[in-house]
Every structure is written in structure tokens, then in C-alpha cells.
Amino acid sequence: MKLLRGILFETMILLVFVSSWLLSASAERIDYCDSIAEEYAGWSSNVTLPKFDPELGTLRAVDLSCEMNLSQEVMIENENPNPVNYTLILAGELTVELPSSDGLSISFNQSTAGNLSGYDGDTDYQGSSGSKSVIPIPTEAATKSIADINDFLANAPNETIVLPVVVDASSQTKTSGKSNSGVLSKAGAKVCVSYTYDLKPEEGGQN
């Protein structure tokens, strides 16, 4: 009896695995992307993505993803007679706004530290008392499964959905004494939508 129950249990597991594999194997996927070129942070823009064409089949799932390219230009001049240590902090967030759910966001918080010699008499962000550099900042991509897929389902041919994208950023300088500093950040974005669907049966074919 134990042997029979064991065989039945293993058979059920195999059937569940095969059914899940067949379901995933039968599903199709199509991706669309739109990009926003790099601009000084503090901008608001939008991406335009095609909605799913129901002529392709039955929409099962919608997934959204976002990548961000970010860089900062650091400028600082020590205007003290003595050497100083400094820290520049850049923080902010990119948000993709969605029509009927929480937004998709990427946060960033970057610290740049260094030291400078005493003031050389020229505020040019160069030499031993100054520094100027452009630094790329790595960020992690964000993904989200959309709960209300009807927002992405087309009701007419070539229909699109427009998603607002916003980047907010702020900077802070920490140093002793007097200094002249600034942080300019640039950000761009790439937003993609993935549609998972079942193919529409061919006319005259079997479901």
C-alpha cells in the first residue's frame, strides 16, 4: 500500500510539472521599449508604448521594466589655506507613473569623498586645491508585474499608452571651512513593456 501511495504521489508531481511546462511553452511574448535621452536631473518627460493588440491572441500578463543611466559632474575648490577632506552626496529617484497602480521607481544615493590641498589662489576646480570629474553612477533596473492588464489592452488599432517619467535629485557638500562646490547630475531612462499571451487560434483550426 505504501508503495502504491508513493507511485501515485510521484505521478501527481510529474503531471503538475508537465502541465506547468506545457502552459509556459504555449505562451508567446512580445516586448516594446521607449527611451528618454540623458538630461540634467530634475526633469519630467514621458515614454510611449504600444498597447497589446487583441488580434494577436489572449493577453495573460503585462510586465514593465525600467533601466536608468546616471552620471554626475563633481566640481569643488578648497578656499582654505589648509588641506581639507570633503564628501559630496547625490540622492534622488526616477519614477515611472502608472495609470491605476503604484509607480515603478529607481532610487539612487551616491557619496564621493576626497581631499584637497590648501587654496592655490584660483577658483578653477583644478590644480592641487580643486577637482572636477564626471563619474558614472551604477543603478539597478526595476521591474513590476501589472495588476490591471486592461490598461494595456488596445481598443483600436495602433493604440498606445503614455507613461510619465520623473527624475528628482538633490546634492549636499560636507567639508570644513570655506569651499566652492557643485554637483551636476544627468539621467536618462529606458522603459519596456512585455506582453505574455496565448496565440489566437487560426480560423478553421481547433482550440
Side-chain angles (χ1 to χ4, degrees), residues 51-54 150-160:
K51 287 190 175 183
F52 179 75
D53 183 358
N150 290 324
D151 290 332
F152 290 81
L153 189 61
N155 295 312
N158 303 316
E159 188 176 359
T160 60

Side-chain angles (χ1 to χ4, degrees), residues 11 32 38-39 45 55 61-62 69 76 96 99 112 114 135 150 154 160 163 183 197:
T11 302
Y32 300 103
E38 208 173 71
E39 304 175 35
S45 186
E55 289 299 316
V62 178
N69 51 303
I76 184 167
V96 182
T112 303
I135 305 169
N150 290 324
T160 60
L163 302 178
V183 178
Y197 63 100

Side-chain angles (χ1 to χ4, degrees), residues 18-173:
V18 171
S19 298
S20 300
W21 180 82
L22 288 174
L23 180 61
S24 61
S26 64
E28 298 289 330
R29 174 173 163 163
I30 189 169
D31 301 329
Y32 300 103
C33 298
D34 192 15
S35 298
I36 299 172
E38 208 173 71
E39 304 175 35
Y40 286 110
W43 52 258
S44 60
S45 186
N46 58 67
V47 292
T48 303
L49 299 166
K51 287 190 175 183
F52 179 75
D53 183 358
E55 289 299 316
L56 294 175
T58 302
L59 183 61
R60 297 300 184 192
V62 178
D63 295 289
L64 203 68
S65 64
C66 180
E67 297 177 1
M68 181 184 188
N69 51 303
L70 179 66
S71 64
Q72 67 173 1
E73 182 179 5
V74 175
M75 299 174 293
I76 184 167
E77 184 79 35
N78 176 27
E79 296 180 340
N80 297 284
N82 300 317
V84 297
N85 296 321
Y86 69 88
T87 303
L88 297 177
I89 301 171
L90 175 68
E93 186 176 57
L94 179 149
T95 303
V96 182
E97 298 178 6
L98 303 176
S100 59
S101 62
D102 294 335
L104 181 66
S105 62
I106 298 175
S107 299
F108 53 90
N109 193 322
Q110 174 76 12
S111 295
T112 303
N115 55 77
L116 298 169
S117 299
Y119 188 43
D120 61 8
D122 193 3
T123 305
D124 56 0
Y125 311 108
Q126 298 181 46
S128 59
S129 65
S131 177
K132 182 177 181 180
S133 59
V134 177
I135 305 169
I137 300 175
T139 57
E140 294 186 3
T143 59
K144 185 179 185 67
S145 295
I146 305 301
D148 190 354
I149 63 176
N150 290 324
D151 290 332
F152 290 81
L153 189 61
N155 295 312
N158 303 316
E159 188 176 359
T160 60
I161 184 169
V162 177
L163 302 178
V165 182
V166 179
V167 174
D168 291 315
S170 62
S171 62
Q172 181 182 8
T173 303

